[in-house]
Amino acid sequence: HLDGKGMSKVESMKPVEAAAAPRASDAFALKLTSSELATTMSHFHRAEIARMAGWRDRLDRTSNWAITVVAAMLSVSLSTPSSHHGVLLFAMLLITLLLWIEARRYRFFDVYRARVRQFERYYFAQIFSPQPDFASNWLAIVGEGLRSPRFLISQRAALVRRLRRNYIFMYTILMLAWVLKITTPSLQREGSPIGFGASLLDTFRVATLGPVPGVVVVCIVTLFYVAMLCAAFLMRADDGELSFGDVHV
């Protein structure tokens, strides 16, 4: 016979919950020896280097396309007075398209470059120059990145980086060539006055693009380049891997 106090004591006694059995993947990871783990990490590091190099090659191809476009359009526009200045404006448009494509490719390259740098910074650097408790959870960060791959920088930040590295120089060359084209009579169609300098009215007349007045064309190009300069030198891009050292793409 149990009274109320005894019954409450019995009811308060709960069985101890058994610990959850380890998953197959966790059990497999625990069975790896130190040599097997080192081999796995070496193969993974080599594979990430190959993927990073592949996207680096794609970046170089896009830059090469842009340089080829600039050279070809300069040759067409400045080689004969009969060529229209709109060829250089079209080159600016093509360079902008290639910049957008390269920024997208750079975001993929940055993902794999970050993984390779994590191995170099937290694994190999610790072997050559050990530091106590230096980012001991870096493997967990790599693992989460493998489970749910995400871009590390935005499209805007990638655009700013590639603009600073390569494309600002191409835009500058096209701008100088365009100004030279619309201000130099000897590089314009027949009927223009002979001489090096052209008046402001002649410049606006030459800068006309179809139904668009020359003044409007000059203002649009000027605003476009002001925006490019602000993006290249005033906007702050996400540092990411750029905050570690100075050797970067």
Side-chain angles (χ1 to χ4, degrees):
H1 176 67
L2 296 176
D3 55 7
K5 184 177 180 180
M7 182 65 68
S8 62
K9 184 177 181 180
V10 173
E11 290 178 351
S12 63
M13 298 175 60
K14 297 182 180 179
V16 179
E17 296 183 359
R23 295 173 299 180
S25 57
D26 297 335
F28 176 76
L30 293 175
K31 292 179 181 178
L32 290 178
T33 63
S34 58
S35 61
E36 291 173 340
L37 180 61
T39 302
T40 301
M41 296 181 69
S42 299
H43 283 294
F44 179 73
H45 178 251
R46 190 180 300 114
E48 290 301 300
I49 288 182
R51 299 170 79 177
M52 181 190 71
W55 283 103
R56 183 69 179 89
D57 180 65
R58 294 187 179 187
L59 287 178
D60 291 338
R61 290 183 188 180
T62 314
S63 299
N64 291 338
W65 295 344
I67 294 173
T68 303
V69 167
V70 171
M73 294 302 182
L74 288 177
S75 177
V76 171
S77 178
L78 302 180
S79 61
T80 173
S82 61
S83 61
H84 198 272
H85 73 93
V87 173
L88 294 173
L89 298 179
F90 182 67
M92 296 176 189
L93 182 62
L94 288 179
I95 294 302
T96 304
L97 175 62
L98 291 174
L99 172 60
W100 185 270
I101 295 174
E102 183 163 330
R104 180 180 178 274
R105 293 180 173 183
Y106 184 83
R107 297 179 74 191
F108 284 94
F109 164 78
D110 184 69
V111 172
Y112 303 117
R113 188 261 306 272
R115 290 180 186 171
V116 171
R117 289 292 298 124
Q118 283 175 329
F119 267 83
E120 294 175 350
R121 186 163 54 246
Y122 301 128
Y123 182 67
F124 293 107
Q126 281 293 91
I127 295 177
F128 301 139
S129 179
Q131 295 182 7
D133 298 329
F134 184 69
S136 58
N137 65 331
W138 70 275
L139 272 179
I141 298 176
V142 173
E144 289 302 320
L146 292 175
R147 288 191 180 94
S148 302
R150 291 182 176 86
F151 290 118
L152 304 179
I153 61 174
S154 63
Q155 181 76 8
R156 181 192 63 83
L159 284 169
V160 172
R161 287 189 187 180
R162 301 317 295 164
L163 181 63
R164 290 175 180 174
R165 294 289 184 179
N166 294 332
Y167 283 79
I168 190 64
F169 306 106
M170 303 182 202
Y171 279 118
T172 302
I173 292 173
L174 289 175
M175 180 64 175
L176 294 176
W178 183 70
V179 172
L180 183 66
K181 180 68 177 179
I182 65 176
T183 59
T184 306
S186 59
L187 293 177
Q188 300 166 12
R189 296 182 179 181
E190 297 180 0
S192 299
I194 302 298
F196 181 79
S199 66
L200 187 60
L201 293 178
D202 290 334
T203 299
F204 288 150
R205 177 183 58 81
V206 174
T208 301
L209 190 64
V212 183
V215 178
V216 177
V217 174
V218 171
C219 291
I220 292 176
V221 174
T222 302
L223 290 176
F224 174 77
Y225 271 84
V226 169
M228 288 291 104
L229 291 175
C230 291
F233 299 107
L234 298 182
M235 294 178 62
R236 178 178 176 82
D238 302 332
D239 289 336
E241 279 295 322
L242 301 185
S243 60
F244 299 95
D246 300 322
V247 182
H248 302 290
V249 177

